[in-house]
Amino acid sequence: MYHTVVIGGGCLGAATAISLQRKLNEIGRGEKVCLLDKAVLCAAESSRHSGIVRSANADPDASVMASISSNMWKNLEKHWGKNMEIDPFGAIWIAKKNSDGENPAWNDLSERMKKIDLIFEEISPESAVEKCGDTLIIDKDESYYYEPDAFQLDPSILRSVLYDAIDENGVELFEKTEVDAIITDGNKIISCTTNNGKFDAKNFVNATGAWSAQLFSKIGLKIPVTIEPVSVVNWMESPRQIKYEYPIIADYTNLCYFRSWRGNKMHAHQPRKRSVYEIAKNFLNDLCAVNGGEYLNEPMNQSLAYNQIKNYEDISKKRFSNIDKTVYASGYRSFFDITPDLRFILGKDSKINNLFHNLGSGQAMKYSPVLGESVAEEIIGEKKISKMFDYSKFNIDRFGEDYMQKFWNLVNGEENTLHRQGKNTL
Ligand SMILES: Cc1cc2nc3c(=O)[nH]c(=O)nc-3n(C[C@H](O)[C@H](O)[C@H](O)COP(=O)(O)OP(=O)(O)OC[C@H]3O[C@@H](n4cnc5c(N)ncnc54)[C@H](O)[C@@H]3O)c2cc1C
């Protein structure tokens, strides 16, 4: 019998398995963690992300978690037994000023970030150009903020590091092993069955991301997660104009993130939509409803239409003066897994005593070390990293009947209310 079976080998499941196995190794009773993935490690969202690690965030807990996570990434050997190469290029944040020519929200954010020793400071447009080069289009009505400790990583390097850390710590990895049934006894899971046999364990972790709702509905759990499509485009760049060491650009004027990619490409993707209306729309049109997260891995759903590429060309042209002279290199459609409040679902389930969740809500790669460590702490009964932020606020119990009722009341024909809310929360 395993100490813990982690279902789902994306970056969150792998991080949880590695952290937990390290803790069990320290205890020294020889207990084992096993990690199951229906495909291969990082088969889904975890290989189709942009590798951006920024810490400044309007949610104070998210900022604290992100800055803990950033430090963990930079000292990964201490936490996973393996180090990882990162590109420490910093990030420039850009937004329109208000009618008074100011950006009070980001000034406040800057002050708040100082309290957790995180640099997020306003810089002049000239300084932004100096950091980026002449191709960056600046505007006097915009403000520019710099987060020097932000960095980017290469998703394929992360994937290799995860394989190495799994081996280094002795996690038993079973790929191409799909959990098809979960067997319970009262309010406990005792085992799960797969195409590779039955796995018994004392604890189970759900790290199946977009597949969660469908898999756990089999034992009567409602996990409110769905997906939001997002397009990604890579432009072929000249290293003479845009060097690989280019800062990440978080462009909130044109709603797009840009980063340089190996092979001199400029990579672009749009952020998650944040209005209640858009979130509800994704839950209403739930693309996962029939095939679960499989929708996300279906090749037909991964290609871009011409108008999506053109849309990115328009957005990119507003920020870079040379985009019309670059070439479309590649692109694909990907999917964010989202919850109704766009926050993670972390920790012990409210109905099943030995089930723990670790789901991302669309922007979790950067948090994988801290989320893996925190969930591992809870399983083992420790509180070190998870006491540095309000871990309990991410528990699934917040989505009780009341919460979901209110959420759905917003959708029940109250289009105008939704639109109004959407405008307020953008
Ligand atoms: C375009 C894009 C850009 C992004 N950029 C960033 C970024 O710059 N920074 C950042 O922090 N985040 C980013 N993200 C978000 C990040 O990619 C995700 O939050 C993260 O990868 C989620 O990891 P996960 O482990 O929860 O899910 P997944 O990687 O989706 O893993 C779930 C796994 O569960 C497995 N599984 C499902 N069902 C079963 C079953 N029944 N049995 C066994 N295994 C099963 C699947 O095969 C899959 O491997 C981006 C996302 C997108 C789409």
Side-chain angles (χ1 to χ4, degrees):
M1 165 165 335
Y2 287 100
H3 179 278
T4 300
V5 166
V6 178
I7 312 173
C11 51
L12 295 189
T16 313
I18 294 164
S19 281
L20 184 57
Q21 187 66 69
R22 280 179 86 74
K23 289 180 190 302
L24 293 175
N25 294 348
E26 275 167 25
I27 295 168
R29 285 197 219 113
E31 292 189 287
K32 298 294 286 176
V33 177
C34 122
L35 175 62
L36 310 179
D37 199 283
K38 73 206 292 276
V40 291
L41 204 67
C42 296
E45 246 190 270
S46 299
S47 59
R48 281 175 241 140
H49 58 76
S50 301
I52 296 173
V53 180
R54 294 179 300 140
S55 297
N57 195 302
D59 178 337
D61 282 306
S63 304
V64 173
M65 289 160 77
S67 73
I68 299 169
S69 213
S70 289
N71 287 328
M72 291 174 82
W73 283 118
K74 289 174 185 166
N75 300 288
L76 208 53
E77 186 156 13
K78 194 168 141 209
H79 306 284
W80 289 2
K82 287 280 163 194
N83 264 331
M84 191 179 63
E85 190 187 331
I86 56 167
D87 294 332
F89 302 160
I92 293 181
W93 296 47
I94 306 175
K96 278 262 177 266
K97 291 175 183 165
N98 67 13
S99 49
D100 299 328
E102 285 166 7
N103 186 343
W106 285 13
N107 284 342
D108 284 355
L109 184 59
S110 177
E111 287 306 311
R112 267 190 284 127
M113 294 302 103
K114 267 189 209 151
K115 292 187 187 135
I116 57 166
D117 292 330
L118 207 149
I119 305 169
F120 176 72
E121 60 191 7
E122 185 159 17
I123 55 171
S124 65
E126 294 72 29
S127 166
V129 171
E130 195 194 316
K131 287 180 174 38
C132 296
D134 290 340
T135 54
L136 187 80
I137 297 176
I138 50 169
D139 187 311
K140 63 177 178 27
D141 293 331
E142 286 179 332
S143 50
Y144 301 83
Y145 283 71
Y146 186 48
E147 186 185 336
D149 290 331
F151 59 87
Q152 60 186 46
L153 52 86
D154 184 325
S156 58
I157 293 180
L158 169 57
R159 187 164 182 255
S160 305
V161 169
L162 287 172
Y163 275 110
D164 290 347
I166 282 169
D167 290 345
E168 172 78 20
N169 294 289
V171 173
E172 288 188 22
L173 170 65
F174 292 81
E175 295 181 298
K176 305 194 179 173
T177 302
E178 175 165 4
V179 173
D180 49 33
I182 295 169
I183 300 160
T184 54
D185 180 8
N187 53 9
K188 273 185 80 174
I189 299 179
I190 48 173
S191 59
C192 59
T193 61
T194 75
N195 51 309
N196 276 329
K198 191 155 82 68
F199 290 79
D200 300 332
K202 291 198 259 182
N203 305 291
F204 289 80
V205 174
N206 165 35
T208 59
W211 282 264
S212 303
Q214 203 200 33
L215 180 61
F216 287 89
S217 69
K218 294 180 181 182
I219 55 168
L221 300 184
K222 285 187 196 157
I223 303 184
V225 61
T226 187
I227 53 175
E228 177 187 321
V230 53
S231 306
V232 177
V233 159
N234 295 309
W235 303 108
M236 185 86 79
E237 264 304 340
S238 162
R240 308 268 164 96
Q241 281 193 309
I242 293 190
K243 297 201 181 312
Y244 179 60
E245 294 76 13
Y246 204 86
I248 295 154
I249 304 288
D251 181 347
Y252 289 90
T253 306
N254 301 307
L255 284 183
C256 197
Y257 301 134
F258 299 96
R259 65 157 277 193
S260 64
W261 208 264
R262 272 161 213 251
N264 290 105
K265 296 192 185 99
M266 177 55 87
H267 171 95
H269 84 258
Q270 294 200 276
R272 291 171 306 174
K273 300 196 176 79
R274 305 199 74 95
S275 76
V276 181
Y277 175 70
E278 294 291 346
I279 298 167
K281 219 164 64 176
N282 282 310
F283 274 89
L284 201 62
N285 302 330
D286 192 357
L287 295 170
C288 290
V290 181
N291 295 322
E294 223 38 60
Y295 183 92
L296 173 161
N297 271 359
E298 162 59 48
M300 221 173 64
N301 298 329
Q302 292 176 14
S303 48
L304 286 189
Y306 177 74
N307 66 339
Q308 287 162 327
I309 301 168
K310 286 313 253 183
N311 176 34
Y312 270 63
E313 192 176 327
D314 289 346
I315 295 172
S316 308
K317 268 185 190 168
K318 290 182 189 154
R319 187 51 65 201
F320 300 100
S321 60
N322 65 339
I323 280 295
D324 52 348
K325 299 193 184 61
T326 63
V327 172
Y328 168 71
S330 58
Y332 54 89
R333 195 145 69 116
S334 190
F335 299 87
F336 298 120
D337 57 334
I338 60 165
T339 56
D341 60 2
L342 295 184
R343 287 188 169 143
F344 316 110
I345 301 181
L346 296 183
K348 199 173 193 162
D349 186 69
S350 40
K351 299 200 175 90
I352 302 282
N353 284 340
N354 62 343
L355 173 65
F356 300 81
H357 299 284
N358 193 349
L359 317 186
S361 201
Q363 46 136 15
M365 180 282 298
K366 61 171 147 311
Y367 298 97
S368 350
V370 73
L371 299 188
E373 187 71 13
S374 300
V375 173
E377 282 184 0
E378 189 182 3
I379 296 173
I380 220 125
E382 243 179 30
K383 234 177 178 321
K384 288 180 183 160
I385 287 209
S386 53
K387 75 170 184 220
M388 294 163 82
F389 59 94
D390 188 359
Y391 177 70
S392 62
K393 92 174 185 196
F394 300 104
N395 194 275
I396 195 164
D397 61 12
R398 70 188 187 274
F399 298 119
E401 294 299 329
D402 277 3
Y403 183 99
M404 292 314 288
Q405 188 61 48
K406 279 188 205 144
F407 181 75
W408 286 116
N409 281 346
L410 290 171
V411 202
N412 282 337
E414 297 185 45
E415 289 259 315
N416 294 333
T417 315
L418 280 169
H419 279 298
R420 211 167 39 242
Q421 289 226 8
K423 281 190 185 126
N424 290 342
T425 52
L426 264 176

